[in-house]
Amino acid sequence: MTDSAKLTVTLTEPVAVVRHLRNDFRQESYDHITGTAVRGALAAQWLLAHGDPDDDFLEIFEGDGVFGPLHATASLPVPLSVKVHKYRADDRCRVLWWDAIHEEVDVCQYCKQKLEFSKGGPVGKIRRTPRTRNALDAEGIARSGNLFNQSSIAAGNVFEGWLSGPALRSLQIDGEPVRTLSLGGKRTVQGNAEVTIDFEAEPEPVELIGKDVILRLASPGIFVDALGLPAAEPDLGELSEVLGVETSPGVKPWQRWTEVGGWHLASGLPKPTERAVQAGSTYRIRCAERPSEAARRALMVRGVGLRRREGFGALCRPAPPLSFYEWGGVLARLRIDMAAVEKTLPQLREHTRELRSGIENDAPFQDQLARDAQYASALRKLLDVTDPVLYGRLVARLESGK
């Protein structure tokens, strides 16, 4: 067994990882599976099999292991170093991201629109399922006037992430790998997911420009200075130890402050609210010499900062979304079999109407998705679009043959 493993979950039921409580009877869910949710689900499996916590439990779940967040391509945060269109990009625009790490650009060269730095939101949109529920009292009876709406992550979404160190032992129960997990809240009625574990997978290394490493946070980072006070940047001594080379501050980081808290289920007490830097924050760290690829891979899985066992300080390398211009290549792969496309167009148009109503259902396309890899992958990419405006325009472009 290696020191890290790639965890892939396919949701078979909606999952709600509640982001924060609101007073307007709406519950917002994260658009990914947080490290805390992964750790809690695996801990529940372990306790079900072994009973009360013991020393092994503490080593696995409270030790030096890492339970990273699980993301889809669309749920990764846009780096704060990236500039984007202030308004919707023109169809002629071939580029949607300009990274200040590489170049300083203020205006799109295609549509001449002014650019602005990203706010760290997700790259795209994942499929969601809205549900209306009623709060229950201690006896399980519905409370009057306590309806609330919960926006859950829809079944069918696939998320990936990494575990390392002692946390890997949570992936096997009595010598057998974990096959299913119950994630998020309300797990008696939702939250089931199928699990795939790959102990041989290798993470991609953190970015390298010359001798500089580029760190992009996939989750909030908790950093402190020598006095234990909140810090805006990761500790250079920590980075030097992991990378095996001396490090020094680079250019001014692209970061924003946020706060993180939570609830400790075992004790029934709230976790302290801490100041953290927002997901998407980006750092360029100078190294005395080029760190090895193995060290950069290890850093990608390990993350940076405190509370990494809960998924904080995770790193990522998000890719820019396709521009409307670039979508032409995806649609061209579908047009290879225009006869199949023409048969599918009624379902594609109906899917547009469903998206506008908040319904995300790809069941009518299962036969098409089981076809040859090139056609199926292009159709899957099209169906993964959850923005009804963009999806409708793509279907119209597919139908027109342009």
Side-chain angles (χ1 to χ4, degrees):
M1 184 184 295
T2 61
D3 192 47
S4 64
K6 185 178 183 180
L7 182 67
T8 303
V9 300
T10 302
L11 306 188
T12 55
E13 293 179 342
V15 169
V17 183
V18 178
R19 187 166 192 157
H20 55 75
L21 297 177
R22 296 168 40 163
N23 60 5
D24 60 354
F25 297 97
R26 291 179 178 272
Q27 282 189 355
E28 292 183 357
S29 174
Y30 285 97
D31 49 16
H32 64 281
I33 311 298
T34 63
T36 303
V38 175
R39 178 170 169 250
L42 288 168
Q45 290 265 41
W46 196 97
L47 292 173
L48 187 63
H50 298 94
D52 294 336
D54 55 14
D55 291 342
D56 282 344
F57 178 89
L58 295 177
E59 183 180 355
I60 295 170
F61 296 102
E62 299 287 351
D64 294 330
V66 173
F67 295 85
L70 308 181
H71 274 281
T73 301
S75 69
L76 287 169
V78 180
L80 296 181
S81 63
V82 165
K83 283 190 172 182
V84 296
H85 290 85
K86 188 172 183 178
Y87 305 104
R88 197 182 83 178
D90 192 277
D91 291 353
R92 298 167 297 168
C93 298
R94 303 187 183 187
V95 180
L96 297 182
W97 284 12
W98 289 263
D99 197 337
I101 286 282
H102 305 289
E103 58 180 341
E104 280 285 355
V105 180
D106 296 320
V107 176
C108 172
Q109 70 232 56
Y110 300 103
C111 67
K112 308 304 179 184
Q113 184 184 148
K114 185 177 179 181
L115 306 175
E116 64 179 8
F117 281 108
S118 84
K119 304 297 192 298
V123 172
K125 294 182 180 180
I126 61 164
R127 299 190 301 278
R128 288 183 173 274
T129 298
R131 288 187 170 188
T132 300
R133 300 180 178 279
N134 200 111
L136 306 178
D137 62 19
E139 298 179 355
I141 300 174
R143 291 179 177 175
S144 177
N146 275 266
L147 285 173
F148 65 94
N149 182 270
Q150 186 179 72
S151 178
S152 303
I153 305 171
N157 279 292
V158 179
F159 298 94
E160 298 177 343
W162 295 86
L163 275 69
S164 68
L168 295 181
R169 291 161 55 191
S170 68
L171 297 176
Q172 292 188 336
I173 303 295
D174 296 330
E176 293 295 322
V178 172
R179 301 293 186 190
T180 61
L181 282 177
S182 293
L183 298 161
K186 305 290 183 183
R187 287 180 286 187
T188 56
V189 293
Q190 64 179 19
N192 282 343
E194 297 177 349
V195 176
T196 302
I197 305 166
D198 188 348
F199 289 104
E200 304 302 323
E202 281 195 340
E204 57 183 346
V206 295
E207 296 171 63
L208 185 68
I209 300 177
K211 296 180 182 179
D212 298 352
V213 292
I214 312 301
L215 308 181
R216 306 184 192 272
L217 294 183
S219 60
I222 302 176
F223 310 132
V224 295
D225 61 17
L227 299 178
L229 298 175
E233 302 180 36
D235 180 67
L236 294 177
E238 174 190 357
L239 292 174
S240 296
E241 182 178 350
V242 178
L243 293 172
V245 297
E246 289 297 318
T247 59
S248 59
V251 299
K252 182 180 178 181
W254 296 266
Q255 56 88 215
R256 287 170 173 250
W257 287 104
T258 187
E259 290 183 344
V260 296
W263 187 266
H264 193 269
L265 189 61
S267 64
L269 296 171
K271 296 178 181 178
T273 298
E274 299 192 62
R275 205 169 190 209
V277 293
Q278 182 182 313
S281 294
T282 302
Y283 303 89
R284 182 167 184 165
I285 306 296
R286 291 198 172 96
C287 299
E289 53 187 285
R290 289 171 64 92
S292 68
E293 184 174 302
R296 291 186 288 122
R297 292 184 190 276
L299 179 59
M300 178 65 82
V301 171
R302 177 188 182 276
V304 290
L306 305 180
R307 292 175 64 177
R308 289 177 289 107
R309 72 171 70 94
E310 300 171 60
F312 292 106
L315 300 174
C316 64
R317 293 182 64 171
L322 293 177
S323 65
F324 193 77
Y325 177 87
E326 292 173 312
W327 268 103
V330 177
L331 300 181
R333 298 205 302 270
L334 289 173
R335 293 194 194 101
I336 292 175
D337 190 344
M338 275 307 295
V341 169
E342 289 173 359
K343 289 181 180 178
T344 312
L345 275 174
Q347 289 95 335
L348 291 173
R349 296 192 201 99
E350 177 61 27
H351 192 60
T352 306
R353 289 188 283 272
E354 290 177 343
L355 287 177
R356 288 173 181 156
S357 301
I359 302 171
E360 297 170 5
N361 174 33
D362 58 13
F365 306 96
Q366 293 308 306
D367 289 342
Q368 297 288 331
L369 291 171
R371 294 188 42 164
D372 62 276
Q374 187 176 22
Y375 182 93
S377 65
L379 180 59
R380 177 73 274 168
K381 197 168 189 68
L382 178 62
L383 294 175
D384 282 341
V385 176
T386 57
D387 181 351
V389 175
L390 174 59
Y391 177 83
R393 295 176 68 220
L394 291 173
V395 171
R397 184 176 177 183
L398 175 65
E399 188 173 7
S400 68
K402 294 181 180 180

